[in-house]
Every structure is written in C-alpha cells, then in structure tokens.
Amino acid sequence: MQLTSIVALALVCALPHSAFAACAKPAFTAAQGKTISTRSPNQGLFSSAVLVELNHVRCQKNLRQLTASAGLTKVAATHAAWMARARKLSHRSTVAGQSSLKPRIKSAGVSFKTAAENIAFIDRYRLGRQPFRVISAANCRFRDGAGKPIAAHSYASLARNVVAEWMASSGHRKNLLNRRMKMMGAGLAFDGKSPHCGRFFISQDFAG
C-alpha cells in the first residue's frame, strides 16, 4: 500500500451540471509530464502543476482561480526540505525565521490577511492504494495487480495525486477551497531513505 500522510493548518454551494462541465480538464505541459529528478526537483514545475490541478478543483466549485507566487513556492520548498531531512510531517521547523506558518508567509514577501498550509508525503513511485508487487527493491522495480510496471511520479502525476489526497481530507479540502485565498506556492523535497525507493515531502502555502 502507498505510504501517504497529510496534515493541514490554517490561520485565521453546489454547482449545476453545466458549470461543472465548463471546467476544462487540467492541461499539463510536456515538462510537467517528465519524471521528477530526486537530486534537484524543479520547484517551479511542481508548484505550477499543483496550481493547475488545484484551479481545476476550484473551478468545479465556482471559486476564483489562485495565482502563482514565487515567494510562497520558495518558502514551501524550504519547509519541504526541512521535513525531508527530519523525516517527519510538521508545521513547525527549526529553520531560522520560518519556524511556523506566520513567519514563513512573512518571509515569502507577500501581503496577506489570512494564510494556510497543507503538507504531505507520498511515495516516489506511483504505488497508489492498490496491492503491488516488489520485483526488485534494489532496482526500484514494482508491478501492479495486473503485472504492469509502476513508474516513478512525474510533476503532473504527483500534483494530481497530492491534490486528490488533500481533497479527501476535510481540513485540507477547506484550505484548498478557501474563498479568501488569492495565491499559492508549493514545494517538494526527496527523502531517499524511506521504503520503496523513497518518498517526496510536500508543502503548500496559501495567502489571501
């Protein structure tokens, strides 16, 4: 089974079928479809992929689209890196000037009245929640129930996966669908010591 864990923190109408249908399926770029580098993940590609997936969800709820924030992406990446080093999920860290949500958002250099944060870790490979077989742990070879090889996550697939996990949790969903939020940034970092060839730690910060 996939090892997925998520935690949410926050400070501080149903649609007709026609409106739901008007929300186009998320369109990822070719670069976002590439397998994530575990040595140097591209934070911009990941954050933009999360934003594409998130804005699709918000469109379905008739909520305004969020905009990208380079500052929020930077502090989210810093926090994700700390969690990967510590190998734990936490909204607090030992990073100077960014030990909790409020100073993190201030460090991003954005103007805000409200802020929120979602965090998670997800396996490097697309193991999902269905049974899988380990063909070679040393060579990171896995197969699903039908015997098909399981690939490592791309920026797009990881974004889709983590937003789905957050939407399935009430606290995280509240942050994703918060009407007061205006901008977002997401970051990730890799922990290669975790089972099944490692996992990504993910942080997502909002400001409004």
Side-chain angles (χ1 to χ4, degrees):
M1 299 295 286
Q2 177 180 2
L3 294 176
T4 302
S5 185
I6 53 179
V7 182
L9 177 68
L11 294 177
V12 178
C13 96
L15 282 177
H17 177 73
S18 59
F20 178 87
C23 299
K25 183 179 179 180
F28 296 103
T29 66
Q32 290 167 337
K34 292 183 178 180
T35 300
I36 301 171
S37 166
T38 57
R39 290 188 177 183
S40 56
N42 187 310
Q43 302 297 336
L45 281 179
F46 178 64
S47 187
S48 61
V50 172
L51 185 62
V52 166
E53 189 69 22
L54 171 57
N55 276 338
H56 175 64
V57 170
R58 289 178 66 90
C59 174
Q60 292 175 325
K61 302 296 183 181
N62 200 28
L63 297 170
R64 75 169 148 198
Q65 304 287 276
L66 300 188
T67 60
S69 167
L72 291 177
T73 296
K74 184 176 181 180
V75 296
T78 297
H79 188 58
W82 181 89
M83 291 192 294
R85 290 194 302 271
R87 303 185 69 194
K88 68 176 182 179
L89 289 176
S90 174
H91 288 289
R92 301 193 66 84
S93 77
T94 58
V95 177
Q98 298 184 31
S99 61
S100 61
L101 177 58
K102 189 173 181 179
R104 261 197 295 283
I105 305 303
K106 285 185 175 181
S107 295
V110 300
S111 176
F112 71 99
K113 294 181 180 179
T114 186
E117 180 173 78
N118 286 339
I119 55 178
F121 64 66
I122 293 181
D123 289 321
R124 174 188 174 192
Y125 279 77
R126 308 180 200 190
L127 302 179
R129 294 186 174 276
Q130 300 302 315
F132 64 89
R133 289 185 296 138
V134 179
I135 305 303
S136 172
N139 296 312
C140 303
R141 293 176 56 205
F142 309 97
R143 293 186 182 272
D144 63 18
K148 295 180 179 179
I150 297 174
H153 270 296
S154 66
Y155 294 98
S157 68
L158 186 62
R160 187 182 303 114
N161 193 163
V162 75
V163 170
E165 293 286 349
W166 283 330
M167 282 296 291
S169 167
S170 60
H172 303 88
R173 184 169 62 249
K174 182 178 180 181
N175 288 340
L176 296 176
L177 304 181
N178 191 321
R179 292 178 179 274
R180 299 174 63 191
M181 298 306 175
K182 298 178 181 178
M183 63 191 80
M184 185 225 79
L188 78 165
F190 182 63
D191 168 25
K193 296 181 181 180
S194 292
H196 304 133
C197 296
R199 63 172 59 133
F200 291 107
F201 278 82
I202 299 166
S203 180
Q204 178 187 43
D205 288 318
F206 302 88

